[in-house]
Amino acid sequence: MKLLDCPVIGKRPISEFDYMGEIRIPPVDADEKTWSEYVFNRKGAPCSLREAWYHRPTGRWYVVVRNTVTDEIEAHVDISEVQYELPA
């Protein structure tokens, strides 16, 4: 069984989590080409990414830095660090 080693709640079965994707700040006032690049294109290179994960049993969201090569969780990120202001 694959485990996700969450820095907050410890090692849990990966089946308890939903992967919600890489955390990226969307472009503001983007033209159609820039928006489509943001939506459809990713680097895909092996690296460390900020990702959102949802833990179903507790109903908590986690943002972690995960190494895509080793599949290890390197850090837990406070949600205030990934918030951004929407334009008025």
Side-chain angles (χ1 to χ4, degrees):
M1 173 187 330
K2 187 172 182 177
L3 299 176
L4 190 145
D5 191 6
C6 179
V8 179
I9 59 174
K11 289 185 179 183
R12 306 296 306 165
I14 196 79
S15 60
E16 292 183 2
F17 291 87
D18 290 323
Y19 173 73
M20 303 310 288
E22 179 185 0
I23 301 290
R24 300 183 311 148
I25 297 175
V28 179
D29 297 328
D31 61 8
E32 192 171 303
K33 183 179 185 326
T34 304
W35 186 249
S36 66
E37 288 288 323
Y38 169 79
V39 172
F40 297 110
N41 295 324
R42 304 278 196 281
K43 293 180 207 168
C47 62
S48 294
L49 295 177
R50 283 185 176 193
E51 301 174 328
W53 289 80
Y54 178 72
H55 187 238
R56 287 187 310 277
T58 61
R60 292 186 64 181
W61 285 91
Y62 294 96
V63 176
V64 298
V65 177
R66 183 177 66 91
N67 184 311
T68 61
V69 175
T70 63
D71 211 22
E72 292 180 47
I73 304 297
E74 298 175 345
H76 175 263
V77 180
D78 188 87
I79 196 71
S80 64
E81 292 182 36
V82 294
Q83 291 178 337
Y84 54 90
E85 294 294 322
L86 294 175

